Amino acid sequence: MSVGRINRYSIVSSEEEGLRLTTMHGMNGFGNGKIHTRRKCRNRFVKKNGQCNVQFANMDDKSQRYMADIFTTCVDIRWRWMLVVFTLVFVVSWLAFGLAFWVIALLHGDLDNPAGDDNFTPCVLQVNGFVAAFLFSIETQSTIGYGYRCVTEECPVAVFMVVFQSIVGCIIDCFMIGAIMAKMARPKKRAQTLLFSHNAVIAMRDGKLCLMWRVGNLRKSHIVEAHVRAQLIKPRITDEGEYIPLDQIDINIGFDKGLDRIFLVSPITILHEIDEESPLFGISKQDLETADFEIVVILEGMVEATAMTTQARSSYLASEILWGHRFEPVLFEEKNLYKVDYSHFHKTYEVPSTPRCSAKDMVENKFLVPSSNSFCYENELAFLSRDDEEEDVGGGSRALANLSPDRNSRHEFERLQATRALDQRSYRRESEI
C-alpha cells in the first residue's frame, strides 16, 4: 500500500482549500500505527445549526421513490411548495370534474338548448358552458350548494360523477389537512429552542480529564425523557488499506450508569470521561491543535405539548474544543428561586492547573493533579453573590464592576488560601509535563 497517494474519491474534501499533510491512524484511536497521507481539508459534517452537510447525487428513480411516499414528501418540503401543491390539487380536481360535467352536457345536447325548452330535461340544470360546469364542480366538491345548479335524474352518468366527486373531495381534504397538520405539529422547530454551547472544553473533573459541553432549554415546557449521545467522526484507513472518510466512533457519556438521561430544566454540562475506552485517550493539548476530527452531539426527547420526539444536533471541530477551560456558572440561587443567566451560557474561563498531557500519559506516568479544594472562580463568584444579597437586604445596592472580592470576601479568600494551600509540587510536575 502506498502511504503517499492522494485519495481521489474522498467525499469530504474541499476544493477551495489546498492539499496538506495529515496524520491518520489505522486503529480506532489516535495512536497505534500512524499513517501520513496527503489529502484535502474536510468540511464540517454537521453544521452548528444541526443541518447535515450532505448532498445526494446520481440517485436512480428518485422521483418515483419520492412519489411512492407522497405524504412524507409533502411534510418535508418547504412551506411555499406545500402551498403550491395545496392550491394545485384543488384547482386541478375542480377543473377535471368541471370538464367531465361539460362533456356530459355536450354529449347529452344540453349546450344546444341554452334557452331551456320545456320538453327538454338537461343532465345538469343551468350548465350552458364550460364556466358553468366548472362552477358546478366547485359547488359539488366544496358542498357550497347555492341552489342555482343541480343534477337531474335524466343522466345516470351525471349522478355517478356527483357521487364520485364527493368521495374524491373527501379524500383530498383528509390528505391535505393531515399533511398540513403534521407539518405544523412536527417537533423540528422545537429544536430551535434547544441550545448547545459554542465550544466544548477539556478540563479536570473529580480527578479525571473530561470532555464537556453545555446544553440548555430556552422554553419553560420540558423535554420528556431527554437523553444525549455523541459520536466522533474522522477519516481512517483500515489494516487492509481501505479508506473510510467518515468513520463514526461512539463516545460514552455514561450510558451504562444512566448519566445520558438528563432532567433539562436548567442548563446542564454533559460530561465524557476520557478513559481507556475513549477515542480521545491519546490526545494531548498539542495533538488537539493539529487534530482533524469532528464530535457530533445529539439531544433527543419528547415535546411535552405534543408527545412527539424531537432531536437537536450540533458539532464541535477540534479547533472548537478549548483545552484547560471550564464553563462559567449560569445558575444562581436567589431568595426563593433559582435564576438562570443565559448571558454566561457560552462563556468559559481558563484553568491553568489543567494538565497539558493526554489522559493516557496521566495514567502511565501516574500524574498527580492539583488539590480539588483550591479556591477557584466559582467560589469567588459565590462570595460576591452572597455579599451582594446581604447588601440588598440592608437596603443598599451597587453594581459589580469586576469579579475582585470586597473586604469581607477577600478576608474569606485569605482564610481559604491559608487552610487549603495548593500543592506547589503538583503544579511543578504539571508544568514539566
Side-chain angles (χ1 to χ4, degrees):
M1 180 184 66
S2 176
V3 298
R5 64 185 179 184
I6 300 176
N7 178 29
R8 298 173 54 193
Y9 303 101
S10 174
I11 63 173
V12 291
S13 60
S14 174
E15 297 181 355
E16 291 79 5
E17 301 178 276
L19 294 172
R20 65 182 178 90
L21 189 65
T22 312
T23 301
M24 300 182 61
H25 310 269
M27 304 297 292
N28 280 344
F30 290 86
N32 304 327
K34 293 184 177 181
I35 301 175
H36 295 278
T37 180
R38 191 174 173 83
R39 66 180 188 84
K40 296 182 180 180
C41 300
R42 66 183 185 90
N43 295 321
R44 185 188 294 271
F45 184 56
V46 177
K47 299 179 181 179
K48 298 296 286 186
N49 60 0
Q51 295 182 355
C52 296
N53 191 22
V54 178
Q55 182 180 4
F56 300 108
N58 302 324
M59 294 176 58
D60 296 334
D61 301 330
K62 178 180 178 180
S63 301
Q64 291 82 347
R65 296 176 185 272
Y66 276 58
M67 291 300 295
D69 189 11
I70 186 62
F71 186 83
T72 304
T73 302
C74 292
V75 174
D76 289 341
I77 60 176
R78 295 181 179 273
W79 272 108
R80 54 177 176 266
W81 296 114
M82 183 64 183
L83 295 177
V84 171
V85 172
F86 181 87
T87 304
L88 286 178
V89 166
F90 282 100
V91 172
V92 170
S93 64
W94 294 337
L95 288 173
F97 283 102
L99 179 62
F101 285 118
W102 179 79
V103 171
I104 292 174
L106 179 64
L107 295 178
H108 189 259
D110 295 352
L111 304 182
D112 298 332
N113 296 275
D117 190 358
D118 295 337
N119 297 326
F120 180 79
T121 303
C123 291
V124 182
L125 296 177
Q126 305 299 327
V127 175
N128 301 320
F130 178 76
V131 176
F134 175 71
L135 294 176
F136 176 72
S137 173
I138 297 177
E139 294 177 16
T140 302
Q141 186 167 332
S142 59
T143 65
I144 295 177
Y146 291 117
Y148 185 68
R149 300 178 181 88
C150 62
V151 66
T152 63
E153 300 176 357
E154 181 69 19
C155 300
V157 178
V159 176
F160 171 79
M161 289 301 300
V162 170
V163 175
F164 184 67
Q165 184 177 8
S166 300
I167 296 175
V168 172
C170 291
I171 296 175
I172 293 176
D173 291 342
C174 292
F175 181 86
M176 297 309 302
I177 294 176
I180 291 179
M181 289 298 297
K183 191 175 182 64
M184 293 176 62
R186 64 177 180 169
K188 185 176 181 179
K189 295 300 181 181
R190 182 63 174 90
Q192 302 297 326
T193 53
L194 298 176
L195 199 60
F196 291 91
S197 57
H198 291 161
N199 297 94
V201 298
I202 293 180
M204 300 298 298
R205 175 69 69 88
D206 295 330
K208 298 179 181 179
L209 200 62
C210 298
L211 170 71
M212 295 171 282
W213 65 92
R214 179 178 277 172
V215 296
N217 181 15
L218 299 181
R219 288 186 181 273
K220 290 186 177 180
S221 59
H222 298 169
I223 296 295
V224 183
E225 296 292 335
H227 58 278
V228 292
R229 54 192 178 95
Q231 286 188 332
L232 185 141
I233 299 178
K234 67 184 183 70
R236 179 173 76 90
I237 293 182
T238 64
D239 296 337
E240 296 77 18
E242 179 186 3
Y243 176 72
I244 303 177
L246 295 175
D247 187 30
Q248 300 183 11
I249 306 172
D250 188 61
I251 294 180
N252 184 17
I253 52 177
F255 176 78
D256 51 345
K257 300 178 181 178
L259 300 178
D260 62 321
R261 296 184 290 273
I262 59 177
F263 184 47
L264 193 58
V265 177
S266 62
I268 296 179
T269 300
I270 307 302
L271 186 93
H272 163 63
E273 181 182 327
I274 304 178
D275 53 11
E276 291 82 356
E277 303 296 331
S278 172
L280 303 176
F281 187 59
I283 281 285
S284 64
K285 181 178 181 181
Q286 184 178 2
D287 296 333
L288 184 64
E289 296 174 353
T290 58
D292 182 23
F293 64 85
E294 179 180 355
I295 295 179
V296 178
V297 293
I298 301 172
L299 170 62
E300 292 179 326
M302 292 188 299
V303 181
E304 188 178 33
T306 61
M308 300 180 68
T309 303
T310 184
Q311 183 182 91
R313 298 178 295 268
S314 186
S315 68
Y316 301 103
L317 299 178
S319 59
E320 297 172 340
I321 301 177
L322 305 179
W323 189 286
H325 282 246
R326 288 184 188 146
F327 289 107
E328 292 188 2
V330 295
L331 186 63
F332 304 95
E333 184 177 2
E334 293 190 349
K335 296 178 181 180
N336 58 351
L337 52 82
Y338 291 92
K339 178 181 178 181
V340 177
D341 187 0
Y342 274 99
S343 63
H344 298 274
F345 184 84
H346 301 287
K347 295 181 180 180
T348 63
Y349 65 95
E350 188 175 2
V351 183
S353 60
T354 304
R356 295 175 178 266
C357 63
S358 64
K360 180 179 180 181
D361 294 335
M362 292 177 60
V363 172
E364 294 177 353
N365 299 332
K366 294 181 173 58
F367 174 74
L368 297 178
V369 298
S371 173
S372 60
N373 294 327
S374 59
F375 190 84
C376 65
Y377 176 83
E378 288 92 340
N379 302 119
E380 186 174 355
L381 199 61
F383 284 131
L384 289 175
S385 178
R386 186 189 66 180
D387 296 336
D388 208 20
E389 183 176 340
E390 291 176 355
E391 289 186 3
D392 291 341
V393 173
S397 61
R398 65 184 180 87
L400 291 176
N402 49 50
L403 292 178
S404 62
D406 59 5
R407 182 178 301 176
N408 295 331
S409 61
R410 187 176 298 277
H411 175 71
E412 187 71 19
F413 172 75
E414 293 175 356
R415 185 181 66 82
L416 284 174
Q417 289 284 41
T419 57
R420 300 174 178 177
L422 302 179
D423 187 356
Q424 300 297 333
R425 181 179 179 182
S426 299
Y427 277 98
R428 285 197 301 270
R429 293 188 60 182
E430 175 189 340
S431 61
E432 291 173 0
I433 291 179

